[in-house]
Amino acid sequence: MTQIVISGSGLYTPPHAVSNEELVQAFNQYVDLYNEENASAIDAGQLDAKQHSSSDFIEKASGIKSRFLVSREGVLDPDIMQPLLAERPDEQPSIMVEMAVAAAEQALIAAGRKPEEIDLVIVAASNMPRPYPALAIELQHYLGASGMAFDMNVACSSATFGIKTAADLLAAGTARLALVVNPEICSGHLNFRDRDSHFIFGDACTAVLLERETDCQVAQPWRLVGSTLTTQYSNNIRNNFGFLNRLSPRTRYGDDKLFRQQGRKVFKEVLPLVCDQVERQLAAQGWQAGELSRLWLHQANLTMNQFIGRKLLGHDASQEEAPVILDRYANTSSAGSVIAFHLHNQDLPSGARGVLCSFGAGYSIGSLLLERG
């Protein structure tokens, strides 16, 4: 069987770090303005007064302390409460491609490869800037890659699904060097005026290069030993934004066109699915949980990750066993588990085993078994 490996990874981090305290200050200013402007309706019982947020509430609910954003001024303005990005002419690279190029260049250096050697580009992310042309084809152009390119979206599992798709195409001989990138501008679909979710997301972009082990130029790549992908329909995490919204002018800017979730239901329903999938996958491969050196988990919520680590390993996972990056990056959708992998894999020796796992809207769950060469 053709052995596929991850030979390099990369990470683009936006320049603007925003702390919980900064986010809370702007949110609470907005709340005060809203309550003041609607005081009569609130007093008459026609509207509910909005409640303040707090840094303690955010950290307790999620484990998040900060995040990186592509734009911060509008987010921290109580009159705007959204990122502000100027539209670019068609002749200029889009901001998501700029992010992808930066991450891809790091992955290429790590793998000892050149852009022109890439013959498959997959952009896998939660939200694309347009229906067409595909962002992947734009990235292919600006990198100087060849072959084919396409976009795919499986929400928070886009990266793992993209990696599996690339690996299958490599094993089939359709491509020789595949680039999978995950540019996530999650702040663009976040409702910064919703107390329950205004703190959840951050922005980032990750990239991985995959190739056959026989072609690989690095000494200890990560072998993709096994992969399991699962989807199950649910409305508990949803975003209704799309090109058909313009056909319904009265509702085109409704709150349902931004991220929304029923967090308790997600916690109750997704975690058993994730644990069951990984446990069955390990058993089928003949791996024992005690043999795992690392869990690179989706970085959405600290309590969720702690639950998964405890269920799989049989004890509370340490930071070394299940690295946490959401405290600094927040939830970066599909990029989160790859950020954890990128920042926390170089210390592991040959033969080390780990699981890279994502889960989120759809529901979608992707779990990859990795072993260091």
Side-chain angles (χ1 to χ4, degrees):
M1 183 180 69
T2 303
Q3 182 63 64
I4 306 302
V5 299
I6 296 174
S7 55
S9 64
L11 168 64
Y12 169 78
T13 300
H16 307 295
V18 176
S19 66
N20 285 349
E21 290 74 19
E22 292 175 292
L23 208 60
V24 165
Q25 181 180 6
F27 178 83
N28 289 348
Q29 288 176 349
Y30 156 72
V31 166
D32 292 340
L33 289 171
Y34 175 91
N35 289 343
E36 182 180 348
E37 292 172 357
N38 295 280
S40 298
I42 292 172
D43 291 341
Q46 299 169 344
L47 288 175
D48 293 330
K50 292 187 179 295
Q51 302 298 314
H52 281 178
S53 184
S54 72
S55 297
D56 289 341
F57 161 71
I58 292 173
E59 189 168 349
K60 183 178 180 180
S62 65
I64 296 168
K65 300 178 182 179
S66 184
R67 73 281 299 142
F68 294 94
L69 303 179
V70 295
S71 171
R72 60 176 275 149
E73 288 77 16
V75 170
L76 299 181
D77 186 332
D79 293 322
I80 300 174
M81 302 295 283
Q82 68 180 48
L84 296 175
L85 296 174
E87 290 194 28
R88 298 184 178 188
D90 293 349
E91 295 74 22
Q92 293 183 6
S94 64
I95 184 171
M96 291 179 72
V97 158
E98 285 189 350
M99 296 167 66
V101 167
E105 288 176 342
Q106 290 184 22
L108 285 162
I109 292 172
R113 291 294 191 177
K114 298 179 181 179
E116 57 267 28
E117 295 178 275
I118 298 170
D119 56 0
L120 170 62
V121 177
I122 300 176
V123 171
S126 294
N127 290 274
M128 300 299 173
R130 59 178 183 266
Y132 46 81
L135 194 70
I137 300 177
E138 182 188 357
L139 174 59
Q140 178 190 44
H141 168 74
Y142 282 104
L143 273 177
S146 61
M148 62 176 175
F150 58 88
D151 296 343
M152 60 185 298
N153 178 355
V154 204
C156 294
S157 288
S158 295
T160 52
F161 276 60
I163 290 170
K164 166 61 172 171
T165 301
D168 287 348
L169 290 170
L170 289 166
T174 307
R176 294 187 62 86
L177 182 64
L179 171 68
V180 180
V181 293
N182 321 106
E184 295 285 10
I185 303 182
C186 300
S187 60
H189 64 93
L190 178 58
N191 186 350
F192 285 96
R193 289 175 170 164
D194 176 21
R195 182 178 182 272
D196 290 334
S197 65
H198 75 107
F199 54 87
I200 289 179
F201 288 113
D203 304 329
C205 180
T206 48
V208 296
L209 279 169
L210 295 100
E211 54 189 307
R212 300 180 189 86
E213 188 169 23
T214 52
D215 298 330
C216 184
Q217 299 180 4
V218 298
Q220 294 180 321
W222 283 94
R223 298 186 182 112
L224 180 58
V225 178
S227 54
T228 303
L229 310 179
T230 304
T231 53
Q232 178 178 303
Y233 185 64
S234 171
N235 279 316
N236 290 332
I237 310 173
R238 193 171 178 107
N239 179 333
N240 286 333
F241 182 78
F243 71 94
L244 292 178
N245 298 150
R246 65 183 295 273
L247 309 185
S248 304
R250 292 184 180 179
T251 58
R252 72 172 66 169
Y253 297 119
D255 286 348
D256 69 311
K257 309 308 185 295
L258 300 172
F259 166 85
R260 56 197 171 98
Q261 72 170 351
Q262 299 183 56
R264 289 183 177 86
K265 288 185 178 180
V266 173
F267 191 100
K268 181 179 179 180
E269 295 175 4
V270 167
L271 294 186
L273 295 175
V274 173
C275 294
D276 180 64
Q277 174 167 311
V278 176
E279 286 175 339
R280 286 187 289 106
Q281 188 177 15
L282 291 173
Q285 189 62 40
W287 286 12
Q288 301 296 320
E291 299 174 334
L292 297 176
S293 298
R294 199 139 297 167
L295 301 174
W296 300 287
L297 300 176
H298 174 51
Q299 303 286 314
N301 181 285
L302 181 59
T303 302
M304 296 179 79
N305 285 15
Q306 290 172 336
F307 180 98
I308 294 170
R310 188 180 308 114
K311 183 69 167 60
L312 294 179
L313 301 179
H315 61 265
D316 290 338
S318 66
Q319 168 69 14
E320 182 178 351
E321 291 172 312
V324 175
I325 59 92
L326 67 85
D327 55 344
R328 290 183 293 137
Y329 280 85
N331 183 345
T332 54
S333 192
S334 70
S337 57
V338 185
I339 295 175
F341 171 80
H342 174 76
L343 296 178
H344 298 281
N345 81 80
Q346 292 299 321
D347 61 311
L348 296 177
S350 176
R353 293 175 172 177
V355 177
L356 195 155
C357 181
S358 65
F359 45 89
Y363 295 130
S364 59
I365 304 168
S367 50
L368 311 176
L369 303 186
L370 302 179
E371 183 173 47
R372 188 141 214 184

